[in-house]
Amino acid sequence: MKSLLDESHASFLHAAIYVEAELRIIVAEGFRAGEPEDITVAGRVIKGTYAIDTPEKSRLVEVRFSRPIAWQLVDESFTAGNEYEVREDEFGLQVLTQSRYLDYVLANHGLFKELGRGPGKHYRIWTENEVIDVVACEPPTVEPYEMGK
């Protein structure tokens, strides 16, 4: 699903807020450092890496879901896609038409369909450190976010 999230080189979760049946995911734009540096990970030196940071000039984007059915936030380090999933890979806000998470929500919390809310869709926001999965009946709104609003 093409959105403002696609305009950033990288993104970082700034906040996840659930208030009054509304889920608000605020994502900060990440920038690549101008100069490479060497880093040490587990005793091994990796040469020529570029740090990614969210400086003051980073834009914020808000993804807002009205009345989501279910959502989860998982550390990106422990998440991997799999062959079972059918998803749009090219966008910052992905729509998955087949996933084990969607299967789980439908099997265990699928009463929303019978109550007339409509079919649920699986949306995913994959940031540098977190993966946010949301099942909702309505697509989210994606807009610029200004602090203090």
Side-chain angles (χ1 to χ4, degrees):
M1 178 175 189
K2 190 155 180 61
S3 70
L4 286 173
L5 294 175
D6 301 314
E7 296 177 8
S8 299
H9 171 73
S11 60
F12 292 84
L13 179 64
H14 179 76
I17 306 160
Y18 184 81
V19 176
E20 298 178 9
E22 185 173 74
L23 176 62
R24 298 168 56 201
I25 307 294
I26 302 168
V27 176
E29 176 180 36
F31 291 94
R32 189 178 94 162
E35 298 295 322
E37 59 186 60
D38 297 344
I39 62 170
T40 303
V41 177
R44 301 181 94 185
V45 176
I46 303 171
K47 296 190 172 289
T49 64
Y50 289 85
I52 298 176
D53 196 12
T54 55
E56 289 290 321
K57 68 178 182 175
S58 291
R59 294 178 295 175
L60 297 175
V61 174
E62 180 179 47
V63 182
R64 187 179 293 214
F65 292 91
S66 178
R67 297 174 44 203
I69 303 303
W71 66 283
Q72 68 178 9
L73 188 147
V74 179
D75 185 312
E76 176 267 341
S77 299
F78 307 118
T79 304
N82 61 56
E83 304 257 337
Y84 181 75
E85 291 182 343
V86 177
R87 66 182 181 278
E88 303 170 330
D89 279 332
E90 66 269 15
F91 301 120
L93 176 58
Q94 299 176 350
V95 179
L96 291 82
T97 54
Q98 179 176 298
S99 72
R100 298 207 191 286
Y101 184 64
L102 181 58
D103 292 348
Y104 167 80
V105 171
L106 291 172
N108 293 284
H109 310 291
L111 192 56
F112 64 90
K113 289 171 61 176
E114 294 174 27
L115 295 176
R117 292 270 312 272
K121 285 190 176 180
H122 182 178
Y123 299 90
R124 177 176 288 158
I125 302 167
W126 198 303
T127 68
E128 293 297 321
N129 297 316
E130 290 86 17
V131 178
I132 304 101
D133 290 299
V134 180
V135 174
C137 294
E138 299 88 28
T141 59
V142 182
E143 300 174 333
Y145 178 78
E146 295 181 34
M147 295 290 280
K149 282 195 166 186

